[in-house]
Amino acid sequence: MTVSFQLRPYRASDEDAAIALWQATWQQAYPAIDFAARVSWWRERWRNELVPNAAIVVADQSGELAGFVTIDTAGYLDQLVVAPAHWGGDIANALMLEAKRLSPWGITLLVNADNGRAIRFYARNGFAHAGEDVNPISGRPVNRMEWKP
């Protein structure tokens, strides 16, 4: 069964739903980390870094936020978040196509080196490995990936 959704620009009224979706999604991906303890930090980062500096597009499914993508004017994709119930469906692909539309000259991103699911998704969407780094906040190893048209 195909789940119907629409992509639309982020609105300030989406903030609580976006924060809750971020928390639930990352908690599912990394159950050993307490993401509830990080919500205040994330909300501040969301408001002060991402909202003012990135295009944010959400996937709206019957009035519920099912995913979102953030991409800045330099083509850096900071977040592509999809509700775990929709993993493996069309929402992530639609959000990625929208990111490519917004940054047609190329996209870079960092992905946790141990997140094989995300790495495979990005590779299927034309991203290539472009180096390693360390997340300055978590200290976790990350892979830099790039998409060039």
Side-chain angles (χ1 to χ4, degrees):
M1 180 175 134
T2 302
V3 177
S4 165
F5 62 91
Q6 69 172 5
L7 299 184
R8 63 168 174 78
Y10 170 82
R11 300 186 287 246
S13 60
D14 294 324
E15 181 179 299
D16 287 340
I19 300 296
L21 181 60
W22 172 87
Q23 179 186 351
T25 301
W26 280 96
Q27 195 64 68
Q28 178 79 21
Y30 289 96
I33 298 172
D34 180 6
F35 284 92
R38 296 180 178 195
V39 168
S40 294
W41 162 81
W42 178 251
R43 187 177 300 275
E44 183 176 328
R45 183 166 184 264
W46 181 260
R47 286 178 178 169
N48 298 327
E49 293 178 35
L50 295 175
V51 171
N53 298 310
I56 303 174
V57 176
V58 303
D60 184 312
Q61 181 188 24
S62 303
E64 299 282 326
L65 221 61
F68 63 84
V69 64
T70 70
I71 187 159
D72 68 20
T73 57
Y76 180 71
L77 190 155
D78 191 89
Q79 296 287 313
L80 195 158
V81 173
V82 174
H86 298 288
W87 287 357
D90 295 332
I91 291 174
N93 290 323
L95 289 168
M96 178 55 69
L97 286 172
E98 183 64 7
K100 288 177 176 180
R101 187 188 70 76
L102 292 168
S103 185
W105 53 87
I107 297 173
T108 60
L109 59 86
L110 297 175
V111 58
N112 287 330
D114 63 354
N115 192 339
R117 177 184 202 60
I119 291 168
R120 289 187 301 275
F121 169 79
Y122 292 125
R124 281 193 311 272
N125 279 276
F127 284 74
H129 182 87
E132 290 86 29
D133 209 336
V134 174
N135 182 305
I137 297 164
S138 69
R140 297 174 79 94
V142 293
N143 292 340
R144 190 175 327 101
M145 296 187 80
E146 294 180 344
W147 169 78
K148 297 197 185 277

